[in-house]
Amino acid sequence: QVQLVESGGGLVQPGESLRLSCAASASGFRIGPMGWYRQTPGKEREVVATVTSAGVTNYADSVKGRFTISRDNADNTVYLQMSSLKPEDTAVYYCLTQARKGLWESYMNYWGKGTLVTVSS
């Protein structure tokens, strides 16, 4: 079973920075793409950033130039460095890991429980 542990959320002022971390425990699984999503009350969960196992990244337009996603394949950990935070970045941030037991199988999605990021003065 794949399990995710998130950390780094909290309360910050506009313009400040935070770094989110998500460590995946995936013994016996092959880890594929990883990413970060966020959701606010009454709205659909949206993608923030993703990164493939080869390190190819993709970002939502709203965070380009401010957020950076990275991963450590040795530790199966994905990070989200958030800079120049705005009040509209306030949301619950969820970690996503895709994993499979073998190359012949399809990837399955595994989600973290979420960590709250609040940007307010």
Side-chain angles (χ1 to χ4, degrees), residues 11 15 18 27 30 53 63 72 79 85 98-99 113 115-117:
L11 173 64
L18 275 178
S27 179
R30 299 176 183 270
S53 58
V63 306
D72 184 340
Y79 305 92
L85 283 163
Q98 293 191 318
K113 296 180 179 179
T115 183
L116 178 63
V117 173

Side-chain angles (χ1 to χ4, degrees), residues 43-108:
K43 294 187 177 181
E44 201 168 288
R45 187 176 300 184
E46 64 177 0
V47 63
V48 177
T50 60
V51 56
T52 70
S53 58
V56 179
T57 60
N58 204 356
Y59 297 91
D61 289 339
S62 59
V63 306
K64 285 182 178 178
R66 300 188 298 118
F67 292 9
T68 301
I69 189 171
S70 61
R71 65 187 290 167
D72 184 340
N73 289 332
D75 294 334
N76 291 325
T77 301
V78 62
Y79 305 92
L80 185 67
Q81 178 66 47
M82 303 183 292
S83 301
S84 301
L85 283 163
K86 305 175 181 179
E88 48 264 45
D89 293 319
T90 297
V92 176
Y93 285 71
Y94 297 90
C95 174
L96 169 69
T97 293
Q98 293 191 318
R100 57 186 178 183
K101 286 191 173 183
L103 296 175
W104 62 94
E105 297 185 2
S106 61
Y107 282 121
M108 297 293 292

